[in-house]
């Protein structure tokens, strides 16, 4: 037990928490006499500095096998996931500075930073207690962010729904953890894996795995645990939705893939052949198939932009779960690349919605009509994000899908559920392309509903987010090995 | 009377968990749903303490202290959300919260 070592490993979290407290203190002491605009920008600058400091902290923490007796692990996945989450949090903060109209700007920034601290801790947790605490720190912050806009009843309703589903999934996770602890006598993942390999399957273990997977399904917004996602994406403030849809997803997948493969790997079972063998892999395959089908077909019926993005997120969760299935065989590269580039594209799409909403209304898909005349920059970037989500080469979304499907087909060809899922996902990509193109048609082809509609002004901060994400999506699509060779 | 065994404790915690779960699913008042959620957390707490006692390790007991803290934080956030909602909608019944629907 070495506390200095622990402190070095937790540098990013320390930087984020100190930044959050500084933002609050600054606002309380100097902000009272300032305008709301100035307070927001001061808080965003402090928050950005904290995130940058956390990035340096994550880099300087380096790679170590087990920290503080195995409580945390600093491997390549931790480093990549921390940097990815911090980058997505930075984009969210910058977007907040550009577009948000908040009555309590410093509190908002502080809670974003607390949530980010939860995400980075989720990326490093290697013990059930730390995993649970990190998950709760992130979740509780996200509930507050979802309900932050007290002037709109939809925001509070979204927060309540998110909170109730989230609280239930946390209880399931906890009960699953307690059963795992009872079965193996340990809360540390390496010991749990060691014990599970000796014990083999038992009914109690199956129950524990189902409970953990319920919580995973909630965090990933996978069907049938997706019910919160459309309401939260629609009702929450745009910036909060962006964070919930991107960074929270990346951190959640990192946490659960670490729980499932290094922790519960001996109970994985198999989906490579048609007969398979019992374990959690067949369950994850079922979640993946349900999400793919429900997400893609329900998205066709949506007329609200944010609900459509939510259902497309459910469909993407299906592909990500396929990435979890192949992670045991092909490594974490495909999954991480897919989730990270998905997060970038989603945050970009929400940035477009935020900017359009700032200039007026952006609820229905038809509200995007004539975006190419009202703001060519917005329309161009929107096209990049949606085409990346749809998986059109050479954008990053295409390569993400390609690596995941290739790994799934490598697992056992078409002999087993993994291969069938890949085929299903490829077929449903055509459905997905349809609803993305419906949105793009409104943005790029249709003339504005009102010919005299004013151009949409793009604030400088939001323009940075838009251009940065669009560029990154193109560059990562052209040079995917930059991310893939980390693993 | 024979002393309670590990199975008894796990059974009770499973029953508590199930009561909480059905409470969340079936009740219509947000506050009662909220209490049921807490019951689910308490059920896991009981299981953890029992396992800790019968495994002979302290990890489960330490876990419980953190769960209590997290549950308190969760109550604070949850009640704040309910208050914010009540101010806007003047109801705590979940059936009436349906503005967000397609």
């Amino acid at each position: 037990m070495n506390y200095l070592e622990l402190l070095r490993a937790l540098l990013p979290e320390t930087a984020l928490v100190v930044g959050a407290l500084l933002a609050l203190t600054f606002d309380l002491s100097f902000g009272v006499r300032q305008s709301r605009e100035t307070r927001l920008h001061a808080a965003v600058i402090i928050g950005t500095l904290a995130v940058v400091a956390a990035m340096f902290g994550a880099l300087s923490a380096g790679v170590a096998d087990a920290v503080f007796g195995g409580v945390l692990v600093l491997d390549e996945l931790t480093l990549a996931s921390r940097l990815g989450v911090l980058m997505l949090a930075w984009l969210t903060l910058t977007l907040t500075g550009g577009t948000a109209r908040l009555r309590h700007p410093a509190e908002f920034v502080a809670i974003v930073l607390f949530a980010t601290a939860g995400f980075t801790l989720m990326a490093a947790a290697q013990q059930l207690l730390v995993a649970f605490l990190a998950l709760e720190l992130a979740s509780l912050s996200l509930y507050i962010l979802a309900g932050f806009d007290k002037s709109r009843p939809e925001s509070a309703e979204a927060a309540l729904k998110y909170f109730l589903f989230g609280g239930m999934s946390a209880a399931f996770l906890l009960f699953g953890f307690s059963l795992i602890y009872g079965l193996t006598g340990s809360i540390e993942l390496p010991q749990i894996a060691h014990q599970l390999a000796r014990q083999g399957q038992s009914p109690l273990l199956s129950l524990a795995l189902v409970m953990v997977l319920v919580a995973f399904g909630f965090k990933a917004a996978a069907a049938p645990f997706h019910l919160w996602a459309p309401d939260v994406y629609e009702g929450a403030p745009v910036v909060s939705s962006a964070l919930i849809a991107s960074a929270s997803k990346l951190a959640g997948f990192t946490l659960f893939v670490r729980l499932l493969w290094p922790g519960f790997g001996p109970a994985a079972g198999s989906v490579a052949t048609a007969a398979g063998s019992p374990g959690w892999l067949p369950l994850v395959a079922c979640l993946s198939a349900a999400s793919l089908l429900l997400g893609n077909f329900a998205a066709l019926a949506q007329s609200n932009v944010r609900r459509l993005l939510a259902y497309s997120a459910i469909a993407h969760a299906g592909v990500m779960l396929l990435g979890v299935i192949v992670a045991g065989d092909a490594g974490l590269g495909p999954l991480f690349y897919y989730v990270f580039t998905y997060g970038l594209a989603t945050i970009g799409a929400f940035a477009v919605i935020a900017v359009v909403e700032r200039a007026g209304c952006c609820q229905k898909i038809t509200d995007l009509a004539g975006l190419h005349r009202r703001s060519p920059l917005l329309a161009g970037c929107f096209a990049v994000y949606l085409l990346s989500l749809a998986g059109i080469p050479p954008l990053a979304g295409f390569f993400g899908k390609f690596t995941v499907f290739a790994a799934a087909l490598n697992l056992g060809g078409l002999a087993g559920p993994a291969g069938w899922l890949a085929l299903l996902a490829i077929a449903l990509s055509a459905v997905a392309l349809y609803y993305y193109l419906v949105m793009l048609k409104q943005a790029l082809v249709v003339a504005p509903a009102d010919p005299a509609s004013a151009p949409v002004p793009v604030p400088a901060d939001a323009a940075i987010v838009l251009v940065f994400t669009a560029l990154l999506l193109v560059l990562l699509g052209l040079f995917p090995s930059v991310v893939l060779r980390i693993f | 009377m024979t002393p309670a065994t590990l199975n008894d404790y796990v059974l009770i915690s499973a029953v508590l968990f199930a009561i909480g779960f059905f409470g969340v699913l079936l009740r219509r008042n947000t506050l009662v749903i909220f209490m049921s959620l807490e019951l689910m957390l308490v059920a896991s707490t009981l299981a953890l303490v029992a396992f800790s006692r019968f495994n002979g390790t302290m990890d489960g007991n330490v876990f419980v202290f953190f769960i209590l803290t997290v549950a308190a934080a969760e109550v604070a956030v949850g009640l704040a959300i309910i208050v914010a909602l009540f101010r806007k909608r003047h109801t705590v019944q979940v059936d009436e919260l349906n503005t967000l629907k397609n």
Side-chain angles (χ1 to χ4, degrees), chain A residues 128-129 132-133 136 140 143-144 147 150-154 156-161 163-164 167-168 170-172 174-175 177-179 181-187 204 211 231-232 234-235 302 307 311, chain B residues 10 13-14 17 21 24-25 30 33-34 37 40-41 43-44 47-48 51-52 55 57-63 66-67 70 73-74 77-78 81-82 84-85 87-89 94 97-102:
Chain A
L128 298 187
L129 177 55
F132 176 73
L133 288 178
E136 282 299 291
L140 290 178
Y143 304 148
I144 302 174
K150 286 194 289 181
S151 60
R152 284 169 46 241
E154 299 89 36
E157 187 178 327
L160 184 73
K161 285 182 176 165
F163 174 78
L164 290 179
M168 200 150 85
F172 268 92
L174 204 53
F175 205 79
F177 278 2
S178 70
L179 291 179
Y181 169 64
L183 283 169
T184 62
S186 173
I187 55 171
L204 216 52
M211 293 202 149
D231 289 347
V232 172
E234 184 188 349
Q302 304 305 317
R307 286 189 93 84
Y311 280 104
Chain B
V10 176
S13 74
F17 191 84
F21 180 59
V24 171
L25 288 187
T30 320
I33 293 178
F34 202 43
L37 269 183
M40 290 167 83
L41 286 182
S44 339
L48 274 173
F51 282 133
S52 188
N55 276 340
T57 53
M58 283 305 286
D59 295 341
N61 285 324
V62 175
F63 215 126
F66 283 95
I67 293 173
V70 167
E74 206 170 275
V77 172
I81 291 173
I82 292 176
L85 191 68
R87 281 197 185 149
K88 285 283 156 201
R89 304 287 300 277
V94 276
L97 302 175
N98 49 11
T99 40
L100 293 170
K101 274 270 142 54
N102 16 337

Side-chain angles (χ1 to χ4, degrees), chain A residues 210-226:
Chain A
V210 167
M211 293 202 149
V212 172
L213 285 182
V214 169
F216 183 23
F218 162 80
K219 196 73 195 161
F225 312 108
H226 65 281

